[in-house]
Amino acid sequence: DEDLAHLLAPIRKEAQETFFAVVTNKDGKVLRVMRHTKGGKSSSSVYPLDVIAEAASIDGAAMIHYGHNHPSGLVAPSSSDERITNTLNRMLNGTGITPGYHVVLGEADGPGVKWGAVLSDTGKIGDGGVIRPRVRTKNIPVTERRIVARRTLGSAISNASDAFAATENHDNAIF
């Protein structure tokens, strides 16, 4: 989608592949732009559970879009791009959040942003193109994924009987 490509246009110049998720409400208003990962020249590791968990924690979240850059400038989605899109979209089941678009961005030969095939939950739905620069009238803050070291809460649960024992006194468990 061209609006999503415009929103994420600044990442086209990144030397490292960077993956973003954009969460909107039911009216399409952006609630959060999340920089999930910054990888290398040709890939970025995406942890689907982290992306979906953060999106699900946002009040009013109704739709999530994804976007990343290809530092090579080639904006055709790779098979890895298609796989991660499908995985993320499957993980949305039961969250009340609808999958949106996934755009791939690259540097255009002239002014503007080159963007590639748009992926949705039904597969490839467009070929993208080049969008010309537009005036930005809003500043949307970007949150960044942070990994926090935590102490363990006890010994690891390594079998089913230990799992049952650990939860037997919890009446309000999610199971």
Side-chain angles (χ1 to χ4, degrees):
D1 171 77
E2 190 170 314
D3 289 335
L4 179 60
H6 177 69
L7 174 68
L8 297 177
I11 69 170
R12 75 190 184 280
K13 297 179 181 180
E14 296 278 339
Q16 296 163 273
E17 193 165 300
T18 306
F19 181 89
F20 281 79
V22 178
V23 178
T24 65
N25 69 10
K26 64 179 175 48
D27 299 320
K29 179 184 175 202
V30 174
L31 300 176
R32 187 171 304 163
V33 177
M34 305 178 297
R35 180 187 350 244
H36 178 66
T37 54
K38 192 173 209 176
K41 284 184 170 187
S42 62
S43 68
S44 182
S45 296
V46 177
Y47 302 95
L49 183 59
D50 294 348
V51 175
I52 302 309
E54 183 171 353
S57 74
I58 300 169
D59 287 337
M63 184 170 277
I64 186 169
H65 304 279
Y66 319 108
H68 75 282
N69 65 318
H70 281 176
S72 66
L74 302 174
V75 293
S78 67
S79 58
S80 293
D81 296 339
E82 293 177 18
R83 258 192 320 276
I84 195 62
T85 302
N86 293 333
T87 299
L88 288 162
N89 290 345
R90 272 194 315 274
M91 290 184 74
L92 288 169
N93 287 337
T95 64
I97 300 172
T98 303
Y101 303 113
H102 184 164
V103 298
V104 181
L105 302 165
E107 189 77 73
D109 295 331
V113 179
K114 184 167 56 173
W115 58 292
V118 178
L119 303 172
S120 76
D121 60 330
T122 59
K124 183 178 171 185
I125 60 168
D127 290 320
V130 175
I131 56 174
R132 298 291 165 213
R134 294 191 237 164
V135 174
R136 294 182 182 269
T137 58
K138 296 181 182 178
N139 185 12
I140 300 172
V142 175
T143 62
E144 195 152 345
R145 175 177 169 260
R146 298 203 188 281
I147 299 173
V148 178
R150 299 180 192 261
R151 295 186 316 218
T152 61
L153 298 175
S155 57
I157 296 174
S158 59
N159 58 55
S161 61
D162 288 347
F164 283 115
T167 59
E168 69 184 348
N169 294 324
H170 297 282
D171 294 334
N172 61 351
I174 300 174
F175 315 114

